[in-house]
């Protein structure tokens, strides 16, 4: 009887842990990511060739990135944050020079990188 109670307790505890982990994963996947959202805004402006607005929004992306950088470095690899930082700088230069192809390529890479980070 004791063995049965012990197994039932361990099984219940395992089920609770799995349920919590599943809930956390779902919450993380659906969480709003401000950097990805801002990158999408810049993407649409570059596609529309609205360069003045795209430049302003790229500056906002830079400021937002710098504001959130310590969190990304804390929760993820510092090397990835450094690479993303250089890509944001390159994006700003690309938007200033009105290079659509390079800007869209950098935005796609940045969005993919931002989606990997835990940002809140």
């Amino acid at each position: 009887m004791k063995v049965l109670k012990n197994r039932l307790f361990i099984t219940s505890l395992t089920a609770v842990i799995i349920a919590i982990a599943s809930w956390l994963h779902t919450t993380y996947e659906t969480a709003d990511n401000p950097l990805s959202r801002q990158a999408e805004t810049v993407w649409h402006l570059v596609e529309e060739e609205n360069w003045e607005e795209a430049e302003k929004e790229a500056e906002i992306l830079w400021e937002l990135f710098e504001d959130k950088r310590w969190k990304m470095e804390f929760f993820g690899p510092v090397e990835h944050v450094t690479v993303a930082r250089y890509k944001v700088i390159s994006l700003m230069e690309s938007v200033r020079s009105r290079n659509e192809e390079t800007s869209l390529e950098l935005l796609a890479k940045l969005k993919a990188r931002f989606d990997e980070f835990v940002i809140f």
Side-chain angles (χ1 to χ4, degrees):
M1 193 66 159
K2 269 188 172 180
V3 173
L4 185 60
K5 284 184 181 180
N6 224 3
R7 285 187 181 171
L8 182 61
F9 175 74
I10 290 174
T11 304
S12 299
L13 184 62
T14 304
V16 168
I17 290 172
I18 290 171
I20 290 171
S22 175
W23 175 78
L24 286 173
H25 176 72
T26 303
T27 302
Y28 170 72
E29 288 294 317
T30 59
D32 182 37
N33 186 331
L35 289 172
S36 289
R37 192 171 4 101
Q38 187 64 27
E40 286 178 24
T41 302
V42 177
W43 175 283
H44 292 301
L45 291 169
V46 168
E47 279 188 326
E48 295 169 0
E49 296 185 8
N50 187 348
W51 296 107
E52 290 80 20
E53 281 296 313
E55 191 172 336
K56 290 176 190 174
E57 293 297 326
E59 290 286 336
I60 292 171
L61 177 63
W62 168 253
E63 292 168 4
L64 192 58
F65 178 82
E66 285 297 311
D67 184 48
K68 306 282 186 188
R69 189 172 80 182
W70 72 270
K71 293 178 187 176
M72 293 184 291
E73 288 175 346
F74 183 76
F75 289 111
V78 175
E79 298 83 19
H80 291 190
V81 178
T82 304
V83 169
R85 185 173 187 269
Y86 288 123
K87 287 189 188 308
V88 173
I89 292 169
S90 299
L91 170 68
M92 290 172 42
E93 292 299 320
S94 178
V95 169
R96 282 191 194 118
S97 65
R98 298 171 188 241
N99 186 337
E100 182 178 3
E101 184 179 329
T102 306
S103 297
L104 293 176
E105 180 183 332
L106 287 166
L107 283 164
K109 291 178 181 178
L110 280 168
K111 182 154 179 5
R113 181 68 70 187
F114 292 155
D115 288 342
E116 293 175 0
F117 292 128
V118 175
I119 305 169
F120 45 89

